[in-house]
């Protein structure tokens, strides 16, 4: 078996079966097929819920959005936008610096063999697409957790109204029902623990903002985006946990910014969670994957962790896609499944393709 490889790429998406066909007349392409939610199906096969970012060809000053079941192209005056980044339009002259997107994301279920070595089926008929006004710019970055006999999936929904976290539920991980918004504006990377603790559901969250307050001189912590915790009686109503969760450590700049990666799973030592740390630099920074084990009864307590990265970006894996790449320094881990003596970990590589990595369980012993 392969230990570290790409399993699904932009060229594997059949755009003739895209949900945009029949509504959007503009020519589109697959900007990325990446950041997959990941779980095991009742059949034993694996499911990747792949984020497909479908973009406008030669977008210029055009953006793409959904409205009431239609996919629409908006044309912006050239003097009103900064179109230097082909992925986004930055509106000029507005104090809040709003963005419009030249692509729209939807979710494509991709079924893999039990060992993750091959694609068995691509379920275009089960694609997750925008269904509400708060998803006007798309549905992004799914995370799937299995809790008992139910699967739950959090997604980031993007629109002019808000950038929020939404929840889907399923009894088989194939047919999903949208439950609506569960976390409000700029609270994303929500990961639901695969099990309860103290009779409550737990989740990791990652609120964003522009204001952070400094820790005192000599503190072991660094101010900035961190991974918080929340609890819920029903998966729909979430109360922030009063103790902090995982925070950037002052001893390293590699995790100066951090966010959730894989839904925490219960091991003999506690809750194993993989998360991303971002080292400042380049266009978006360097994204790497790290790990921590959290106490099984109080997940705000870290039992074990390492400053050394678990998974590094791997530009060689996407070298054959060099004409499509716009980033090289990103691995964004989004899912984990038990594969016997090892874990199979799913990531988005370079915001372009889906990567699978096998990690021996002894790594976390």
């Amino acid at each position: 078996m392969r230990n570290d490889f790409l399993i699904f790429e932009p060229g594997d998406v059949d755009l003739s079966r895209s949900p945009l066909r029949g509504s959007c007349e503009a020519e589109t392409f697959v900007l990325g097929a990446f950041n997959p939610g990941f779980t095991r199906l009742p059949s034993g096969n694996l499911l990747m819920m792949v984020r497909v970012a479908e973009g406008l060809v030669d977008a210029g000053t055009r953006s793409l959005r959904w409205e009431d079941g239609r996919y629409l192209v908006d044309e912006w005056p050239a003097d009103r936008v900064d179109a230097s980044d082909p992925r986004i339009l930055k509106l000029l002259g507005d104090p809040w610096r709003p963005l419009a997107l030249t692509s729209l994301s939807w979710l494509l279920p991709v079924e893999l063999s039990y060992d993750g070595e091959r694609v068995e089926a691509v379920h275009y008929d089960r694609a997750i697409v925008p269904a509400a006004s708060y998803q006007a710019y798309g549905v992004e970055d799914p995370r799937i957790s299995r809790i008992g006999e139910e699967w739950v999936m959090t997604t980031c929904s993007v629109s002019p109204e808000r950038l929020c976290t939404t929840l889907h539920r399923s009894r088989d991980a194939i047919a999903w029902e949208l439950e609506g918004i569960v976390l409000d504006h700029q609270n994303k990377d929500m990961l639901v623990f695969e099990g309860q603790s103290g009779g409550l559901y737990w989740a990791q969250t990652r609120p964003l903002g522009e204001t952070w307050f400094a820790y005192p001189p000599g503190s072991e912590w660094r101010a900035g985006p961190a991974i918080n915790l929340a609890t819920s009686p029903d998966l729909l109503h979430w109360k922030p946990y009063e103790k902090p969760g995982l925070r950037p450590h002052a001893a390293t700049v590699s995790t100066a910014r951090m966010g959730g990666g894989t839904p925490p799973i219960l091991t003999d030592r506690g809750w194993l969670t993989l998360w991303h740390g971002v080292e400042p630099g380049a266009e978006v920074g360097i994204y790497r994957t790290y790990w921590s084990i959290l106490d099984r009864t109080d997940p705000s307590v870290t039992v074990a962790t390492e400053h050394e990265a678990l998974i590094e970006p791997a530009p060689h894996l996407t070298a054959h896609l060099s004409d499509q790449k716009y980033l090289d320094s990103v691995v964004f881990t989004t899912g984990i499944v038990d594969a016997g003596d090892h874990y199979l970990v799913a990531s988005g590589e370079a915001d372009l393709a889906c990567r699978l990595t096998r990690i021996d369980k002894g790594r976390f012993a």
Side-chain angles (χ1 to χ4, degrees):
M1 290 190 296
R2 296 171 291 174
N3 289 323
D4 196 15
F5 56 100
L6 297 187
I7 187 65
F8 201 76
E9 304 175 4
D12 295 321
V13 179
D14 181 357
L15 280 186
S16 71
R17 304 184 70 181
S18 161
L20 275 68
R21 298 289 75 77
S23 172
C24 179
E25 296 182 359
E27 184 181 2
T28 61
F29 73 107
V30 179
L31 180 65
F34 61 114
N35 294 4
F38 198 40
T39 191
R40 193 172 292 281
L41 295 167
S43 67
N45 281 352
L46 298 170
L47 177 76
M48 291 194 311
M49 187 68 78
V50 178
R51 173 185 171 185
V52 177
E54 188 169 345
L56 295 169
V57 173
D58 298 326
T61 60
R62 297 178 300 157
S63 61
L64 184 59
R65 64 182 172 88
W66 176 93
E67 181 181 290
D68 295 331
R70 300 174 300 152
Y71 297 91
L72 306 175
V73 176
D74 295 321
E75 182 75 49
W76 295 87
D79 61 355
R80 194 182 167 194
V81 297
D82 174 358
S84 58
D85 185 331
R87 297 168 295 164
I88 59 176
L89 301 179
K90 301 176 183 178
L91 272 64
L92 304 174
D94 190 303
W96 300 110
R97 296 173 293 178
L99 307 174
L101 301 181
T102 62
S103 67
L104 185 144
S105 290
W106 49 278
L107 307 181
L108 179 61
V110 176
E111 186 174 344
L112 307 180
S113 58
Y114 73 96
D115 56 4
E117 284 291 319
R118 63 187 181 276
V119 174
E120 296 285 5
V122 182
H123 299 285
Y124 289 92
D125 59 326
R126 296 290 187 174
I128 305 292
V129 301
S133 61
Y134 52 77
Q135 298 175 323
Y137 281 124
V139 186
E140 303 179 353
D141 298 347
R143 309 306 215 286
I144 300 176
S145 306
R146 182 174 182 176
I147 306 172
E149 297 304 312
E150 182 181 31
W151 284 261
V152 297
M153 177 172 65
T154 61
T155 59
C156 180
S157 291
V158 187
S159 77
E161 297 175 3
R162 60 185 94 196
L163 172 62
C164 60
T165 295
T166 39
L167 184 78
H168 289 75
R169 299 172 89 152
S170 176
R171 301 300 298 182
D172 59 7
I174 295 294
W176 294 89
E177 182 175 348
L178 175 64
E179 295 282 357
I181 298 172
V182 288
L183 294 180
D184 211 336
H185 188 57
Q186 293 205 79
N187 199 346
K188 52 184 293 191
D189 286 340
M190 182 186 191
L191 314 174
V192 179
F193 286 52
E194 289 204 338
Q196 293 180 295
S197 180
L200 294 171
Y201 298 101
W202 287 74
Q204 294 176 317
T205 68
R206 207 280 305 277
L208 289 176
E210 294 186 352
T211 303
W212 308 97
F213 292 92
Y215 287 98
S219 172
E220 63 179 310
W221 307 115
R222 182 191 304 273
I227 300 172
N228 292 350
L229 294 163
T231 61
S232 172
D234 58 6
L235 293 170
L236 297 176
H237 304 88
W238 292 90
K239 182 182 186 300
Y241 194 55
E242 295 183 5
K243 297 179 183 178
L246 295 170
R247 293 174 280 175
H249 204 281
T252 174
V253 297
S254 297
T255 56
R257 170 177 169 150
M258 60 197 306
T262 64
I265 59 174
L266 193 58
T267 71
D268 291 340
R269 299 185 70 189
W271 296 100
L272 172 64
T273 178
L274 308 189
W275 46 275
H276 64 262
V278 186
E279 179 179 351
E283 183 179 355
V284 298
I286 304 172
Y287 280 69
R288 302 180 178 95
T289 300
Y290 299 83
W291 67 274
S292 298
I293 293 178
L294 312 177
D295 184 81
R296 66 172 56 223
T297 58
D298 183 357
S300 71
V301 176
T302 299
V303 174
T305 194
E306 288 183 355
H307 291 317
E308 178 185 355
L310 179 69
I311 304 175
E312 295 268 2
H316 67 280
L317 291 179
T318 53
H320 64 291
L321 302 172
S322 59
D323 61 332
Q324 301 175 55
K325 284 202 293 186
Y326 50 91
L327 295 172
D328 246 348
S329 57
V330 173
V331 58
F332 193 84
T333 294
T334 48
I336 185 170
V337 298
D338 192 318
D341 61 353
H342 67 279
Y343 294 112
L344 190 55
V345 176
S347 307
E349 182 67 26
D351 276 8
L352 186 64
C354 295
R355 172 181 174 184
L356 295 181
T357 307
R358 301 186 192 278
I359 307 289
D360 191 279
K361 288 184 176 179
R363 184 71 169 77
F364 311 110

